[in-house]
Amino acid sequence: MFVVFGGLFFLLMARFLSIQITGQAEGRPLAAMAASKYARENVLKAERGEIVDRNGELIASDTLSYRLFAVISEQATPKGSKTLYHVVDYDKTAEVLSHYIPMSKEEIQSRMQTAANKEKVPWQIEFGKAGNGINHETMEKIQKAMKKEGLTGVNFMEEKKRFYPNGNFASYLIGFAMREEQKDGSYLTVGKMGLEKTYDKELTGVDGKVDFQTDFWGFILPKSNKVVSPPQNGNEIHLTLDKTIQNFVEDAMTRVEKEYSPKKMLVIVANPKTGEIYAMSQRPSFHPGTREGLTENWLNEAVETTIEPGSTMKMFTLAAAIEENKWDPAAKYNSGQYKIYDRIIRDHNRVGWGPITFLEGFQRSSNVSMAYLLERLGDRKFIEYLEKFGFGEKVGIDLPHEAPGYILDSYPSERLTTSYGQGSTVTPIQMIQAATAIANDGVMMKPYVIDEIINPNTDEIVQNHKSEEKGRPISKETAKKVREILASTVTSEVGTGRKFALPGYDVGGKTGTAEIPDSRGKYLSGDGNYLYSFLGMAPIDDPQLVTYVLVQQPQLELGEIGSDPVSKVFKPVMESSLKYLNILPENVDKTESFKLKDYIGKDSKTVMDGLGEKGIRPVLIGEGGEIAAQYPSEGTKLTKDALVLLRTAGKTRLPDFTGWSKKMVLSFKQQSGLDIRLNGDGFVTEQSLSPGTVVNESDPLVIMLQPPKEQYEKPEVEDEEEQIIGG
């Protein structure tokens, strides 16, 4: 016995010494085994990057939502416990839940009962799409209803959901992202369409984690160190879009859609000086948060689809002729029809207007005038200019799946029909790019929608998209002449663009009435079966905005023409946008304008007195004294009653914001650092704190805005353009 126990003791001591010296047991490190037994890890979820407009206004972000689940297993309730943790009354529970989630009582009850009847009862079940993405308000209502009825076993799990606060807002541009279950059972928000899909990698963050050690029961061990790896949130995408202008577009399109029920609509608003896209939308549209209204068409039609543009193409034919010194506005031709080989080209009224000048022909949108102009210019030379204007190739916008369009160039008849916008195809974004050359004194700018992409974790600018010149297809002098002629289509008694005139602003542009190809390769026929459009710019002397509006197959009343629904989109969008951007109307007397000086470092009282004498309204931010900043900047031209912000040190006394534009309020917010919360778009109608109130940065101020009232003025003379090709 002594030998046996002595031998065992010797072996045990040898084992202890071996483990102590090597730190291993059965060939495995003991420290690693202990760490694996007691180590724990919590995931810190990263947020998907935000998408914001040019002013930092939110377009898409992550928000807290809840996922509903029901505990089915009776084992969830400990034996002897008075509190129940599983569902007991399936019937009543299903009745309550059916009032709050899109699933019938029968479906809910069946799902729970089926799970409970399984041989191996699951601990809990979920309710698929119907139980996902529940907002906080609905979650609280369900909890209250369950408590009121004395029901148990229904719980919620917090999760992130993509939030689109503006509803139907550039939906085909922004797209949408939704939560998808991964192979490991986790959920991840994935971009499925639009910018959300194209920049999914940039928007997706990297989860962090917290490593720590616990005992057998899960309690954190004393003196154990927690190692935190913070999450890396996804990159922020700053767009060139302006939320206010985009809302002007959405509102106008919604009204016209309701009135005319068109098959399709599309609007693009751009800055011709830079190529920045301020607004882009189409109809039908959808809510990216709920996908309500989403059809089988997932294409951004401004970029991914092509159209035959119709008579809007005539402005580029005109520009080519002027550049080549082939344009004689006073020369006459016989309108009505033009024969090329075995084909006859007719004007949109079929008979023409007799012998008229080329200028009148352009104002009337005569197809025949383009045919004779092409004789002078040369059809091959015309195609060269179309290529200079960027047609037939992608513009290179920072959006996916861009279509190049196709210029028909095989036969003289094809080049002729292309001169007035039929046969050849273009994309709407190509039309915008080409129009920038006319609006921007011959310099053509590449359109773009992404301003910059920023890493919010480091504030590093990951991508910075800048204005890019794409060419100079025409001279400054030619561009000016084209703009003057485009303005005459709006002001002339015979012009097809009379419906697009704006009070206080000179508008120039070209109407279009294009035939629509059908599935058989022919064109649709019948009243209203056309694509109506207007490509316009303002103010015409120095255009600050280019707007392209297309309305396809609207339901027109007797006596209405295609320009009616198009103008009801164009006019409110252009007028409201120009006012929002503080662009002076042309009818303001030039002597009333005032050029701002540099006031930084000067005494606020002296500057304010001087501005007041000029009819300018200075607004003081702070308590007065030395001026630290001003808005607008030095050199800006202002008219009487314009606002100028002067920032000094100290607390701020609130001004009366009534009538201020959203842009000016945002500027005041930036300069003052106050917590200003905007509700709506357009111009200020109310403010939550009275004028004169002294506020701190922590005092919230709510400002209500509304768009200006829309005015549709009927022209005295009805438009002669009929609902046939050529408008």
Side-chain angles (χ1 to χ4, degrees):
M1 291 290 290
F2 177 79
V3 171
V4 171
F5 283 107
L8 290 174
F9 179 77
F10 177 76
L11 289 173
L12 187 60
M13 290 300 296
R15 180 63 169 160
F16 282 153
L17 288 170
S18 173
I19 291 174
Q20 189 173 15
I21 293 169
T22 64
Q24 293 185 347
E26 298 178 357
R28 292 181 293 171
L30 285 177
M33 292 171 65
S36 65
K37 183 174 181 64
Y38 298 111
R40 295 290 186 271
E41 177 180 291
N42 277 353
V43 176
L44 302 175
K45 299 296 291 183
E47 291 195 355
R48 188 173 176 85
E50 292 184 345
I51 301 177
V52 299
D53 82 339
R54 64 188 301 104
N55 297 311
E57 297 259 357
L58 190 64
I59 295 176
S61 70
D62 277 357
T63 188
L64 188 64
S65 67
Y66 300 88
R67 190 162 78 245
L68 173 70
F69 65 93
V71 179
I72 302 299
S73 176
E74 294 181 4
Q75 295 180 18
T77 302
K79 290 183 179 180
S81 173
K82 294 182 180 180
T83 303
L84 300 176
Y85 295 98
H86 67 285
V87 177
V88 177
D89 191 334
Y90 294 146
D91 180 74
K92 192 173 285 187
T93 299
E95 172 69 28
V96 170
L97 292 179
S98 66
H99 293 299
Y100 299 100
I101 66 173
M103 185 179 283
S104 68
K105 173 187 174 182
E106 292 72 24
E107 288 179 283
I108 297 171
Q109 186 170 351
S110 173
R111 184 169 293 206
M112 292 190 293
Q113 198 71 58
T114 301
N117 292 337
K118 288 183 178 180
E119 184 177 343
K120 188 176 181 180
V121 179
W123 187 272
Q124 65 190 47
I125 64 166
E126 297 184 12
F127 299 91
K129 185 179 179 181
N132 282 339
I134 295 173
N135 61 38
H136 186 78
E137 183 181 4
T138 303
M139 182 270 293
E140 286 188 329
K141 287 180 179 179
I142 293 175
Q143 287 182 331
K144 288 180 181 178
M146 296 292 291
K147 186 176 181 181
K148 182 179 179 182
E149 298 294 334
L151 301 173
T152 59
V154 171
N155 293 296
F156 298 88
M157 187 180 299
E158 287 187 1
E159 61 183 13
K160 295 289 186 180
K161 176 186 177 183
R162 204 61 171 161
F163 177 53
Y164 301 93
N166 305 302
N168 285 21
F169 181 94
S171 300
Y172 281 87
L173 171 63
I174 305 302
F176 67 90
M178 57 190 298
R179 291 179 63 79
E180 285 188 347
E181 187 172 3
Q182 306 300 297
K183 292 181 180 179
D184 61 359
S186 64
Y187 282 83
L188 180 67
T189 302
V190 179
K192 307 299 291 183
M193 177 185 176
L195 292 174
E196 290 274 27
K197 180 179 180 180
T198 305
Y199 292 90
D200 185 63
K201 183 179 179 181
E202 289 82 355
L203 289 165
T204 302
V206 178
D207 290 341
K209 62 182 180 179
V210 179
D211 292 318
F212 54 93
Q213 290 184 323
T214 67
D215 60 15
F216 178 78
W217 293 275
F219 294 103
I220 297 177
L221 293 173
K223 298 183 180 179
S224 64
N225 294 323
K226 286 199 294 185
V227 180
V228 180
S229 300
Q232 299 295 304
N233 294 331
N235 292 333
E236 294 177 358
I237 296 183
H238 293 242
L239 303 181
T240 62
L241 290 190
D242 189 298
K243 181 182 173 183
T244 299
I245 296 178
Q246 182 72 40
N247 278 328
F248 291 152
V249 168
E250 301 292 354
D251 291 344
M253 293 181 80
T254 298
R255 286 193 301 270
V256 170
E257 183 180 34
K258 184 177 181 180
E259 182 176 357
Y260 290 96
S261 302
K263 188 172 181 180
K264 291 182 180 181
M265 300 172 67
L266 186 141
V267 177
I268 305 174
V269 182
N271 180 343
K273 310 296 184 185
T274 62
E276 294 169 291
I277 302 298
Y278 285 164
M280 179 185 289
S281 190
Q282 66 191 63
R283 294 290 186 276
S285 187
F286 68 96
H287 191 304
T290 63
R291 268 76 71 194
E292 181 182 355
L294 183 62
T295 65
E296 65 277 3
N297 175 33
W298 282 34
L299 301 179
N300 180 353
E301 297 191 344
V303 176
E304 299 180 60
T305 60
T306 59
I307 58 171
E308 295 183 26
S311 293
T312 49
M313 181 63 82
K314 291 174 182 174
M315 69 168 67
F316 307 111
T317 308
L318 172 67
I322 293 176
E323 184 72 10
E324 291 294 316
N325 293 315
K326 304 298 183 182
W327 169 254
D328 184 354
K332 291 190 174 184
Y333 71 98
N334 286 316
S335 63
Q337 66 180 42
Y338 178 93
K339 188 172 183 180
I340 178 169
Y341 300 114
D342 59 340
R343 292 191 61 181
I344 295 179
I345 305 301
R346 299 183 187 278
D347 281 323
H348 57 75
N349 69 351
R350 303 298 184 188
V351 296
W353 304 271
I356 57 175
T357 65
F358 276 92
L359 177 59
E360 183 178 340
F362 188 86
Q363 293 167 344
R364 290 185 181 276
S365 198
S366 166
N367 296 336
V368 175
S369 72
M370 293 295 105
Y372 283 113
L373 194 60
L374 206 62
E375 281 186 4
R376 296 182 171 205
L377 175 62
D379 57 1
R380 295 288 184 186
K381 179 62 69 174
F382 167 63
I383 296 298
E384 289 179 17
Y385 272 92
L386 289 188
E387 292 172 351
K388 289 181 181 180
F389 276 112
F391 295 112
E393 63 179 23
K394 298 178 182 180
V395 305
I397 192 171
D398 41 12
L399 294 173
H401 313 306
E402 182 187 353
Y406 188 73
I407 302 300
L408 296 178
D409 187 24
S410 299
Y411 304 100
S413 60
E414 292 177 340
R415 292 187 280 274
L416 173 55
T417 58
T418 296
S419 72
Y420 55 82
Q422 289 292 162
S424 293
T425 60
V426 302
T427 62
I429 202 67
Q430 285 176 339
M431 296 292 284
I432 285 289
Q433 176 178 265
T436 63
I438 294 172
N440 193 34
D441 290 337
V443 181
M444 189 167 69
M445 304 302 295
K446 174 182 173 179
Y448 66 107
V449 298
I450 294 179
D451 182 22
E452 57 186 10
I453 299 178
I454 298 175
N455 183 337
N457 309 291
T458 62
D459 291 330
E460 174 194 359
I461 297 178
V462 179
Q463 292 184 30
N464 188 10
H465 297 199
K466 297 180 179 179
S467 298
E468 181 181 337
E469 181 181 322
K470 282 296 292 289
R472 303 193 177 202
I474 55 176
S475 66
K476 179 178 180 180
E477 293 72 26
T478 295
K480 186 174 184 297
K481 289 180 181 178
V482 174
R483 292 201 301 269
E484 290 172 352
I485 296 168
L486 292 177
S488 74
T489 69
V490 177
T491 58
S492 170
E493 292 183 358
V494 298
T496 59
R498 294 193 309 280
K499 288 179 179 290
F500 297 89
L502 291 179
Y505 296 96
D506 289 336
V507 176
K510 186 70 195 73
T511 56
T513 304
E515 291 183 301
I516 304 171
D518 61 18
S519 57
R520 300 169 299 170
K522 298 183 179 181
Y523 288 106
L524 297 176
S525 60
D527 291 345
N529 277 328
Y530 298 93
L531 177 63
Y532 302 105
S533 61
F534 187 73
L535 178 54
M537 55 193 72
I540 200 62
D541 287 342
D542 184 19
Q544 303 298 308
L545 293 176
V546 171
T547 301
Y548 191 27
V549 179
L550 299 103
V551 180
Q552 180 178 325
Q553 294 167 282
Q555 303 298 309
L556 300 172
E557 295 289 340
L558 186 65
E560 287 187 311
I561 60 174
S563 289
D564 287 308
V566 178
S567 66
K568 289 181 180 180
V569 176
F570 177 87
K571 289 176 64 176
V573 168
M574 183 62 92
E575 182 177 2
S576 298
S577 299
L578 290 171
K579 289 179 178 178
Y580 161 71
L581 294 173
N582 292 322
I583 296 171
L584 303 180
E586 283 85 355
N587 58 6
V588 175
D589 190 345
K590 299 297 182 183
T591 59
E592 295 180 4
S593 64
F594 172 75
K595 183 181 288 188
L596 281 183
K597 299 177 182 178
D598 182 4
Y599 302 118
I600 296 175
K602 297 182 179 179
D603 178 66
S604 60
K605 186 177 185 309
T606 304
V607 171
M608 292 177 72
D609 290 342
L611 290 173
E613 292 175 0
K614 299 288 185 180
I616 305 298
R617 294 162 55 196
V619 177
L620 182 66
I621 299 172
E623 298 175 350
E626 184 178 331
I627 297 173
Q630 69 180 74
Y631 180 84
S633 58
E634 177 188 7
T636 303
K637 288 185 178 180
L638 300 176
T639 57
K640 186 178 180 181
D641 290 330
L643 296 168
V644 173
L645 308 181
L646 303 172
R647 178 163 62 85
T648 63
K651 294 182 178 180
T652 298
R653 190 179 298 274
L654 291 181
D656 184 351
F657 289 101
T658 303
W660 284 34
S661 70
K662 186 173 185 179
K663 186 174 184 180
M664 186 58 76
V665 176
L666 288 171
S667 299
F668 184 92
K669 177 181 179 180
Q670 182 181 21
Q671 293 286 346
S672 65
L674 296 179
D675 181 9
I676 298 178
R677 305 172 187 182
L678 303 180
N679 191 342
D681 290 288
F683 298 86
V684 178
T685 57
E686 298 178 47
Q687 60 190 81
S688 61
L689 299 178
S690 302
T693 304
V694 178
V695 292
N696 298 311
E697 293 183 2
S698 60
D699 298 328
L701 169 65
V702 179
I703 294 212
M704 305 294 294
L705 303 99
Q706 288 184 359
K709 294 181 179 179
E710 314 300 348
Q711 296 179 348
Y712 303 113
E713 297 184 7
K714 289 187 176 181
E716 295 179 3
V717 183
E718 282 300 317
D719 215 315
E720 293 182 28
E721 180 183 359
E722 298 180 6
Q723 298 168 21
I724 57 176
I725 178 174

